[in-house]
Amino acid sequence: CLELAEQGSAGRSPRVYEFKGTEMEAKAYVLSENLHRRHLTVSQRAALAVLWKRDWQARVGNIAPSFEELGNAREIAGRKFQVSPRTVNQAEEILEKSPAFFEQMIQGGTTLWEAQRSMKEIECEESDARRHLRRAKQKIREVGAELVAFMEAGGGSNGIREAMDALRVAREALEKAKP
């Protein structure tokens, strides 16, 4: 810390005060004193609010520890980190669905909104892949049913070859469609 180094070189010792209170109160005090000094983005503050909220809930549950902080954990975390409760929810959803995106938010590599958009794109791609897979499976069932019908009708070797080719094409389509 530069301030401590400067005070030490000037022959002064830093002022130290003993904090009287709980560990959670100490964390809240440090947070309130230092949050405004840091240049954190909204997304970083939201991610930190989620981590604080989960830590707080693990310690005291979803009940406010004092009458001054009435409200639920999401609202309290939002107030402490200067973000809306909705933003806290959105950040928590990212943590639950994609811890990698959440970590990028904390590091400042992506914003909450970029992470949401990327996750939605991934969900759409996965949905498209599932739809293509369903279609390919349906095509295989149809070709298989045609092959069985052909065999039952006493079809010749040319028909079997054509049916087998169609089945191979359907299987290739299935392999390409797998997510």
Side-chain angles (χ1 to χ4, degrees):
C1 176
L2 291 175
E3 291 92 0
L4 289 177
E6 289 171 2
Q7 286 182 2
S9 65
R12 298 182 308 212
S13 58
R15 289 180 293 196
V16 179
Y17 301 97
E18 182 178 338
F19 183 83
K20 291 182 172 48
T22 67
E23 182 181 350
M24 187 58 75
E25 290 169 335
K27 286 181 179 181
Y29 173 76
V30 169
L31 177 67
S32 67
E33 290 295 313
N34 291 304
L35 187 61
H36 69 278
R37 291 176 23 176
R38 297 184 182 154
H39 300 288
L40 300 177
T41 66
V42 171
S43 300
Q44 288 173 309
R45 291 195 317 266
L48 293 172
V50 169
L51 297 177
W52 183 89
K53 172 186 171 263
R54 288 184 169 203
D55 179 59
W56 188 71
Q57 284 178 315
R59 293 172 190 266
V60 297
N62 203 26
I63 300 170
S66 66
F67 289 108
E68 293 82 30
E69 295 186 317
L70 287 175
N72 66 34
R74 175 182 63 135
E75 292 168 346
I76 294 168
R79 279 196 309 266
K80 288 194 178 299
F81 286 87
Q82 302 166 359
V83 294
S84 72
R86 181 175 179 211
T87 303
V88 174
N89 267 2
Q90 291 170 333
E92 189 161 29
E93 185 176 306
I94 290 171
L95 173 60
E96 291 168 359
K97 290 183 177 179
S98 177
F101 277 126
F102 187 81
E103 184 62 31
Q104 288 178 15
M105 281 174 40
I106 290 175
Q107 300 300 324
T110 190
T111 67
L112 183 135
W113 297 274
E114 289 169 344
Q116 285 177 317
R117 187 178 64 238
S118 295
M119 287 171 42
K120 192 165 286 282
E121 288 172 3
I122 290 169
E123 288 172 4
C124 288
E125 289 170 5
E126 289 173 351
S127 176
D128 288 345
R130 284 191 299 274
R131 186 172 54 252
H132 289 302
L133 185 59
R134 279 193 307 275
R135 287 180 185 161
K137 286 179 178 179
Q138 180 61 34
K139 186 66 174 171
I140 287 174
R141 282 192 292 276
E142 290 169 4
V143 169
E146 289 175 17
L147 180 58
V148 168
F150 181 77
M151 296 294 286
E152 288 174 350
S157 62
N158 274 349
I160 292 174
R161 205 170 304 123
E162 289 172 8
M164 293 302 286
D165 286 343
L167 189 55
R168 182 181 46 76
V169 168
R171 282 197 176 135
E172 288 172 0
L174 178 62
E175 287 302 315
K176 288 180 185 177
K178 282 187 179 175

